[in-house]
Amino acid sequence: MSRKYYQEEYETMPRDKIRELQSKRLVEQFKYVYDNVEYYRNRCKEAGVTPDDIKSIDDLDKIPFTCKDDLRATYPYGLFAVPRKEVVRIHASSGTTGKQIVVGYTKGDLDIWDDCAARQLVAVGADEDDIVQDAYGYGLFTGGFGIHGGATKLGCQVIPISSGNTQRQITFMQDLKSTVLCCTPSYAAYLGETLKDMGLTPKDIYLKAGIFGAEPWTEEMRRDIEKSLGLKAYDIYGLTEVLGPGVAFECSEQAGMHVNEDHFIIETIDPKTGKRLPDGEKGELVFTALTKKAFPLMRFRTKDIGVLNVEKCKCGRTFVRMSKPMGRTDDMLIIRGVNVFPSQIEEVLLKQGYAPNYQIIVGRENNTDTFEVKVEMTPEKFSDVIAEVKAQETKLENALLTILQIKAKVILVAPKTIERSEGKAKRVIDTRKLHG
Ligand code: ADP
Ligand code: ZN
């Protein structure tokens, strides 16, 4: 009989006690960040806020926001709060201009991350007897290592297979008898199809649960994946800036993700005014890290839109639940789990001598994202020799791959054939209906 919670004391703490704990930790953490991060201290000084002003969680609104721009402005180490030798791990994610943002962890931070990820694993019914196939990408992306740490701490057997090599994934599922699969939902869907293509059925493998996150997915997709792989599929939310996977996790109820509130405060705000919204109203999600030491963000604006639910959950956990992200306040696309900004594509086109007349077309076929970039040839580059056009397309595809880390199909079209807009250019056509 597997256990119900990983850290019951916290996961089922009465709400007034959670608030008390958050309040105490917020006061300490604000002072810690103020004292140790010069950039943020200056921001607070501009706003006229000092640690004396933050006496409890009721003063949260007084604390200035941190935005993605702040992370880029301080690249690489400007928001770190500990000496570099205490930072034992770095992760990174792409920013709006293609520039990386870099985050870091102390040993203690990694320990907290492991706990957060372990809570997710326990919530899907995993324990020491389980074999976790970690098919999130390993590397600077937080997915692979995040789950890896939690599963190791819990005592599962981890298969650090990373993403890709799809047939081998299936072979390992059969031979090593993996019981829990962790990867992006689109990769899970692809694995489901591959299983079928290999002439196998869910009866030939041993999976019972899947932890799928890092990109938006629908309930419909959940049902498809559950059927094709013969498991129960759970959502997990995270972002590099705040921690990585494990900021919030779904439980057996599959109805919203519990935010690890002993480590993070979540708020929803009106993205236009920055004003805090009552629970239950849709708004931009904002996180404050209460316990992280190396990279401790105060009121980080995620640009994800969501809703909070404080109702008690049937699973017994008292942590607030956040909805699946319902969209973004910026134009970031998540394609096959990778963050892509139209501005990155535009930059590549301009560098390669094209005019910014292009269209990004994203769709979903057989549960896998399709990604095409239609680009007008300039009169100088124009050619009607197929081989020449093909060569230009390949060159552009390679340039895009280097920047985006994901393959796009480039289609070159004749000059002046992409429709011009009279208002805002419609650069992105996304037919995936991810938030339906
Ligand atoms: P991650 O390693 O989780 O992909 P990134 O920093 O690369 O982290 O991207 C974070 C963004 O990914 C979030 O702001 C959100 O838009 C998206 N994301 C993460 N998890 C989910 C999820 N479960 N559902 C929908 N979107 C998600
Ligand atoms: Zn629950």
Side-chain angles (χ1 to χ4, degrees), residues 231-303:
L231 47 67
K232 201 166 164 189
Y234 299 86
D235 201 355
I236 182 168
Y237 173 86
L239 58 173
T240 311
E241 295 88 337
V242 177
L243 182 77
V247 173
F249 62 99
E250 219 172 46
C251 63
S252 51
E253 300 306 307
Q254 295 177 309
M257 292 175 272
H258 289 287
V259 176
N260 280 310
E261 286 188 289
D262 48 339
H263 297 300
F264 305 99
I265 296 176
I266 184 169
E267 311 167 67
T268 35
I269 61 161
D270 178 332
K272 290 206 181 71
T273 62
K275 285 263 173 311
R276 224 173 142 179
L277 297 171
D279 293 333
E281 256 181 57
K282 198 161 131 180
E284 181 178 348
L285 302 176
V286 173
F287 286 94
T288 297
L290 293 170
T291 48
K292 269 198 328 167
K293 293 297 177 206
F295 195 79
L297 286 188
M298 285 280 141
R299 299 191 85 201
F300 178 68
R301 293 184 61 159
T302 61
K303 302 196 173 188

Side-chain angles (χ1 to χ4, degrees), residues 251-253 258 313-317 321:
C251 63
S252 51
E253 300 306 307
H258 289 287
C313 184
K314 287 203 195 87
C315 76
R317 287 182 186 77
R321 277 172 290 168

Side-chain angles (χ1 to χ4, degrees), residues 103-347:
V103 301
Y105 306 76
T106 62
K107 282 185 181 158
D109 294 338
L110 289 181
D111 218 34
I112 288 169
W113 190 9
D114 291 346
D115 286 340
C116 290
R119 288 175 186 179
Q120 165 80 84
L121 283 151
V122 169
V124 311
D127 64 18
E128 295 82 348
D129 292 327
D130 280 288
I131 299 173
V132 175
Q133 185 154 337
D134 188 353
Y136 279 110
Y138 276 67
L140 289 171
F141 174 64
T142 53
F145 279 99
I147 294 290
H148 185 104
T152 304
K153 191 159 179 182
L154 183 59
C156 306
Q157 175 186 313
V158 187
I159 307 174
I161 191 163
S162 197
S163 57
N165 213 332
T166 306
Q167 298 219 347
R168 186 173 67 183
Q169 300 267 359
I170 306 283
T171 306
F172 271 17
M173 283 177 198
Q174 285 188 287
D175 297 349
L176 304 185
K177 300 191 170 54
S178 323
T179 53
V180 180
L181 172 67
C182 305
C183 59
T184 58
S186 41
Y187 195 51
Y190 183 52
L191 285 165
E193 273 162 35
T194 309
L195 183 76
K196 196 169 168 202
D197 292 347
M198 289 168 75
L200 301 169
T201 75
K203 290 209 174 65
D204 298 310
I205 53 174
Y206 305 85
L207 295 175
K208 62 178 188 189
I211 299 173
F212 306 130
E215 65 179 355
W217 52 312
T218 57
E219 287 302 324
E220 192 188 2
M221 224 174 134
R222 171 165 8 220
R223 282 190 297 274
D224 283 355
I225 296 170
E226 289 190 331
K227 211 164 129 210
S228 68
L229 288 171
L231 47 67
K232 201 166 164 189
Y234 299 86
D235 201 355
I236 182 168
Y237 173 86
L239 58 173
T240 311
E241 295 88 337
V242 177
L243 182 77
V247 173
F249 62 99
E250 219 172 46
C251 63
S252 51
E253 300 306 307
Q254 295 177 309
M257 292 175 272
H258 289 287
V259 176
N260 280 310
E261 286 188 289
D262 48 339
H263 297 300
F264 305 99
I265 296 176
I266 184 169
E267 311 167 67
T268 35
I269 61 161
D270 178 332
K272 290 206 181 71
T273 62
K275 285 263 173 311
R276 224 173 142 179
L277 297 171
D279 293 333
E281 256 181 57
K282 198 161 131 180
E284 181 178 348
L285 302 176
V286 173
F287 286 94
T288 297
L290 293 170
T291 48
K292 269 198 328 167
K293 293 297 177 206
F295 195 79
L297 286 188
M298 285 280 141
R299 299 191 85 201
F300 178 68
R301 293 184 61 159
T302 61
K303 302 196 173 188
D304 286 322
I305 302 287
V307 179
L308 303 184
N309 175 4
V310 287
E311 267 170 45
K312 198 164 173 168
C313 184
K314 287 203 195 87
C315 76
R317 287 182 186 77
T318 46
F319 290 157
V320 68
R321 277 172 290 168
M322 58 172 270
S323 65
K324 278 177 177 297
M326 300 160 159
R328 307 244 332 148
T329 64
D330 64 3
D331 58 356
M332 184 178 93
L333 295 158
I334 303 180
I335 306 173
R336 288 177 226 137
V338 177
N339 302 349
V340 173
F341 291 92
S343 55
Q344 291 175 289
I345 295 174
E346 191 161 319
E347 221 173 63

